[in-house]
Amino acid sequence: MNRNRAAHFAAAYALLRAAADYADHWGQSDFDAQCKGATDEAPVTYKHEGTGKETVVGTRGGRAACARHCLNYTATQGLVLVAGSRLLGIRLNPVAVAGALALSGLTHFAADRRVPNGLLHRLAKASGKERFYKLADHGMNGAYCLDQSWHHSFETLGALLAALGSSTR
């Protein structure tokens, strides 16, 4: 990897990470955050702020909430990546950017769906991290930490994809 490409990778990663952190926390609606893991077997009762109205969300609504969150997340990453790279004078290959965003968005959905015994829980169990996954004490939440580690890992791969074929204006 030449120096320019290495710098492009670093810039792409920083832009993807900053956008993801915003989209995953500030940009995610409370409804989507609460309901994205809902299933018919484990429904979520969401109490709307202001009205106090309760909505019971099952599998279909859980998938929709997760999809909305992931679309917003991916769109935010795309906007920040494209705008930031232009400001930095980096030309990213549109196909590589699309691949990076698809990788980030699809893996985000896989992790965030969090259905009972979901992907991250199964991976944690298989790797001997189930106790950490279930940790919710001492200011820690193991499931959240593993979730963020998962996202960071795929954002790194996405940044590598985005940097492929990049050039300086």
Side-chain angles (χ1 to χ4, degrees), residues 34 53 129 132 152:
Q34 300 294 323
K53 179 185 172 198
K129 298 287 185 197
F132 180 68
H152 289 235

Side-chain angles (χ1 to χ4, degrees), residues 59-129:
T59 301
R60 186 174 178 175
R63 285 183 186 139
C66 195
R68 254 190 323 275
H69 165 57
C70 291
L71 286 172
N72 176 54
Y73 176 93
T74 306
T76 301
Q77 283 190 312
L79 179 68
V80 171
L81 181 59
V82 170
S85 64
R86 285 186 184 207
L87 285 170
L88 294 170
I90 300 169
R91 286 188 197 174
L92 298 176
N93 179 319
V95 173
V97 168
L101 294 172
L103 177 68
S104 183
L106 292 171
T107 59
H108 198 93
F109 185 90
D112 273 24
R113 187 65 181 104
R114 287 211 191 104
V115 296
N117 199 29
L119 176 64
L120 286 184
H121 185 206
R122 290 192 317 270
L123 288 172
K125 190 174 185 176
S127 65
K129 298 287 185 197

